[in-house]
Each structure stands twice: as structure tokens, then as C-alpha cells.
Amino acid sequence: MTPLRWIDVDLEAIAHNVKVARSLLEPKTKFSAVVKADAYGHGAVPVAKAALAAGADDLAVTYLDEALPLRKARIRSPILVMGVLLPEQAPLVVKNRLTAMVDNVPLMKALAKAARPSR
């Protein structure tokens, strides 16, 4: 028999931690809340909303498939995709107004092409 397991996520504690971290920074310093891996198993959408409400400027994830549910949840803040992206994913990056870390020319060209207005 598998033992029961659960985790209680205290969004107020997350908000408190963001406020404390923010208070330690210079006023103009940007603060990104990293919510990769489903916010480390705590639930990316609720954690992202709590962090943003508490003063985070933007969000960061590792993969494109982690960013898309945040957009689906109507989170409009900037979201950085820190991990590897394929050139064929460029249209989704542009469509969902994501920021990509670019480490190769094919991805850069694909993003530039996807960002051009269609004629």
C-alpha cells in the first residue's frame, strides 16, 4: 500500500518571502520569481500570482511548456524561458509574448521571422 503524501502550500508565506527578498534589494532592482518545475511542485499558477502580487516584477521558467499554462491562466507579466528552445517553437514564443534566452543563430533567425508582422 502506498502511503498518503501531501503538501500544504502557504501562499501567504510565499508572498511574505517575496516581500522580504524585495526589501533587501535596491529600489530599481528587478526581481524575478522562478516558477520552473511547477514552482518546485507547489503549483506554478498560484505561486506565480502570489509572487507577482507581492512585488515580483516578472517570472522565469525553464521550458516553453511551463510558460504556456501561465499565459493560459491570464498572467500577463513578462516570462523568461531560460532553457533550450527549438527554432520551430519561435512562433509560440512570439504569440505568447515570452522572452527567450537565445544561444544560437537559427533560434535568433526563427524568432526574428516569427516576430515580423504578416503581410
Side-chain angles (χ1 to χ4, degrees):
M1 175 185 244
T2 304
L4 294 176
R5 296 183 183 123
W6 72 87
I7 184 169
D8 290 324
V9 178
D10 186 342
L11 295 176
E12 288 180 19
I14 290 170
H16 172 77
N17 291 345
V18 169
K19 288 176 185 175
V20 169
R22 167 72 73 209
S23 75
L24 299 172
L25 300 172
E26 293 294 325
K28 293 184 179 182
T29 303
K30 298 288 184 179
F31 180 88
S32 297
V34 179
V35 293
K36 67 182 192 142
D38 196 32
Y40 301 93
H42 293 83
V45 170
V47 168
K49 288 180 177 181
L52 290 167
D57 296 296
D58 51 48
L59 304 170
V61 297
T62 302
Y63 303 109
L64 178 62
D65 65 347
E66 296 172 325
L68 298 178
L70 299 172
R71 286 293 187 237
K72 188 173 182 182
R74 299 179 191 259
I75 294 174
R76 302 199 188 290
S77 74
I79 301 172
L80 171 65
V81 180
M82 301 181 293
V84 175
L85 287 165
L86 301 173
E88 54 267 24
Q89 293 174 310
L92 271 177
V93 171
V94 171
K95 177 183 176 189
N96 287 281
R97 301 171 332 279
L98 302 171
T99 303
M101 290 185 66
V102 178
D103 64 350
N104 62 76
V105 174
L107 177 58
M108 180 181 63
K109 288 180 178 180
L111 288 166
K113 181 179 178 183
R116 282 188 207 114
S118 48
R119 296 177 185 222

